[in-house]
């Protein structure tokens, strides 16, 4: 038996002001998107902003539903929109801003497991990493270089027999 250590580098910024200009702008767009979230049931709003290699930014936010499971997270709203509207354009980065509507979240929130899986699909498809910038409403910001970092041992199409 051998033990393999899996790990990744997480960049930690004290505030968004420390981010390089492009990433700071992307995060500000995610904050903007968060403010348009439809989250009447959880009162927890999330915004996602996706930067494409052509410079375009695609936004998403969580969309809830009275039938709770019918709602969708911000990250998937954004990445499915990118996939639908720019199917052949490489995705460079996704910035996420999350916060309760009642009390500002002061620490970064990572994307949920379903969103990690969905984003990993596009990363695998385009064969290049999508960096992930994570934040609350304010305070520290985390950045990792690839979705893969957040979802080691990902289930992907290579396991399916006819792909
Ligand atoms: N949510 C997101 O939009 N992204 C995540 O990664 C985690 C959770 C949303 C789903 C739901 O509308 C609300 O936040 C509370 O879970």
């Amino acid at each position: 038996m051998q033990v393999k250590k899996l790990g990744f580098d997480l960049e930690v910024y004290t505030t968004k002001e420390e981010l390089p200009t492009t990433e700071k702008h992307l995060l500000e767009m995610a904050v903007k998107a968060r403010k348009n979230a439809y989250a009447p049931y959880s009162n927890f709003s999330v915004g996602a902003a996706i930067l494409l290699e052509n410079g375009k930014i695609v936004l998403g936010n969580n969309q809830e539903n009275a039938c709770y499971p019918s709602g969708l997270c911000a990250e998937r709203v954004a990445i499915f929109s990118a996939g639908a509207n720019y199917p052949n354009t490489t995705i460079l980065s996704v910035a996420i801003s999350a916060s309760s509507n009642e009390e500002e979240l002061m620490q970064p929130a990572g994307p949920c497991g379903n969103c990690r899986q969905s984003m990993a699909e596009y990363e695998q498809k385009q064969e290049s990493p999508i960096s992930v910038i994570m934040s609350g409403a304010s305070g520290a910001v985390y950045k990792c270089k690839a979705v893969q970092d957040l979802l080691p041992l990902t289930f992907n199409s290579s396991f399916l027999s006819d792909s």
Side-chain angles (χ1 to χ4, degrees):
M1 191 274 270
Q2 52 167 309
V3 175
K4 282 191 179 173
K5 253 198 176 50
L6 305 178
F8 71 98
D9 291 334
L10 183 70
E11 294 176 16
V12 179
Y13 299 85
T14 311
T15 71
K16 73 170 161 56
E17 304 309 316
E18 283 180 10
L19 287 167
T21 316
T22 308
E23 292 172 341
K24 184 177 162 213
H25 175 65
L26 193 64
L27 184 50
E28 282 166 351
M29 296 299 281
V31 170
K32 227 175 178 172
R34 171 166 55 80
K35 295 188 173 153
N36 290 328
Y38 177 60
Y41 303 105
S42 71
N43 267 317
F44 190 85
S45 295
V46 184
I50 288 178
L51 178 64
L52 305 177
E53 75 175 343
N54 63 10
K56 288 203 186 317
I57 291 176
V58 179
L59 301 180
N61 43 39
N62 51 329
Q63 296 294 318
E64 296 185 350
N65 193 282
C67 175
Y68 295 173
S70 299
L72 199 61
C73 291
E75 297 88 330
R76 275 175 288 163
V77 169
I79 202 127
F80 292 159
S81 175
N85 293 296
Y86 303 96
N88 301 311
T89 308
T90 299
I91 297 166
L92 298 179
S93 195
V94 54
I96 302 159
S97 172
S99 183
S100 160
N101 299 339
E102 283 132 29
E103 195 185 343
E104 286 212 331
L105 183 65
M106 303 294 284
Q107 67 195 50
C112 79
N114 283 313
C115 289
R116 291 176 200 212
Q117 181 71 32
S118 295
M119 293 190 290
E121 179 80 19
Y122 293 88
E123 190 170 78
Q124 191 210 8
K125 174 180 168 247
Q126 69 182 28
E127 297 178 338
S128 68
I130 300 171
S131 65
V132 186
I133 299 157
M134 295 158 267
S135 77
S138 56
V141 179
Y142 292 163
K143 182 188 164 189
C144 63
K145 291 202 157 37
V147 175
Q148 187 61 58
D149 292 343
L150 299 177
L151 195 65
L153 309 178
T154 312
F155 183 85
N156 61 43
S157 63
S158 71
F159 297 109
L160 302 174
S161 54
D162 57 357
S163 65

